[in-house]
Amino acid sequence: MFRPSHFLAVLLFALFASVVFGITQRETPPKMVRYGIYCFVLFVGSAIVLSWLMYFIAR
Amino acid sequence: MANPQDKKNQAEGGFVYLPLIAGWLVPGAGHFLLRKWGRGALLAASILGMFGTGLAMDGQIHTGAHDILDMLSMAGDLGTGILYLLSRVMGWGTTLVQVTTGDWGSRFIVVAGLLNVISAVDAHNLRTGRKA
């Protein structure tokens, strides 16, 4: 049984989804890598920003 | 203007929907059929990784649709193709979700199915020459 932390789950989700998005949404390998990294940063970054927003809303 | 790879793909004989169907049934298989070994391996690793992580987190595989959310989740699960059938046969993902990580695992499995559909459509686009 695997019990990751919230953040590890976000990282794994972002990694797997970004690889697929990068490969399928761009045509050349350099663009695929760039877009994959872009998606990864957006996934993780938005999770962090939304988490802080919810933290302040809950207080 | 179509590049030589597009023309090569279009010139290949056989059933045009084969990469789409193979890609849906087995993650990455559509790209392997088109000899895109690197892309296929990365897609397969990502989709299998997402699915396996979901199962390891005690995620549930939806077997019936009781409401609209269940129906949508089951549609996502079906996107994993043969993995869904294998899970049903082997009894994977049948434990009731009792912990938070189990709920995340269920979402991982649904998203693995959706990513697999995206990758199968990409294989089809490569086959038809719509994408290089």
Side-chain angles (χ1 to χ4, degrees), chain A residues 1-3 19 23-24 26, chain B residues 46 56 58 101 104 122 131:
Chain A
M1 200 174 296
F2 180 46
R3 297 255 182 275
V19 169
I23 292 172
T24 58
R26 291 294 181 270
Chain B
S46 296
D58 269 349
T101 48
W104 303 345
D122 185 60
K131 187 184 172 192

Side-chain angles (χ1 to χ4, degrees), chain A residues 1-10 12-17 19-29 32, chain B residues 31 39 42-43 45-47 49-50 53 56-58 99 101-102 104 107-108 111 115 118-119 122 130-132:
Chain A
M1 200 174 296
F2 180 46
R3 297 255 182 275
S5 64
H6 277 91
F7 190 62
L8 180 58
V10 166
L12 286 172
F13 185 96
L15 177 70
F16 295 138
V19 169
V20 176
F21 283 180
I23 292 172
T24 58
Q25 304 300 310
R26 291 294 181 270
E27 299 216 347
T28 58
M32 288 175 185
Chain B
H31 288 77
R39 293 186 200 184
L42 280 170
L43 289 171
S46 296
I47 293 161
M50 183 80 101
T53 306
M57 287 160 74
D58 269 349
V99 288
T101 48
W104 303 345
R107 301 290 87 78
F108 269 59
V111 175
L115 292 176
I118 292 175
S119 118
D122 185 60
R130 203 175 296 160
K131 187 184 172 192

Side-chain angles (χ1 to χ4, degrees), chain B residues 53-98:
Chain B
T53 306
L55 281 182
M57 287 160 74
D58 269 349
Q60 194 178 18
I61 293 193
H62 295 81
T63 53
H66 305 294
D67 56 45
I68 186 72
L69 281 179
D70 273 351
M71 213 179 290
L72 290 171
S73 299
M74 194 178 160
D77 286 354
L78 281 168
T80 53
I82 215 158
L83 292 174
Y84 180 80
L85 295 176
L86 196 63
S87 304
R88 294 295 303 273
V89 171
M90 303 296 282
W92 297 337
T94 51
T95 49
L96 274 179
V97 173
Q98 291 175 323

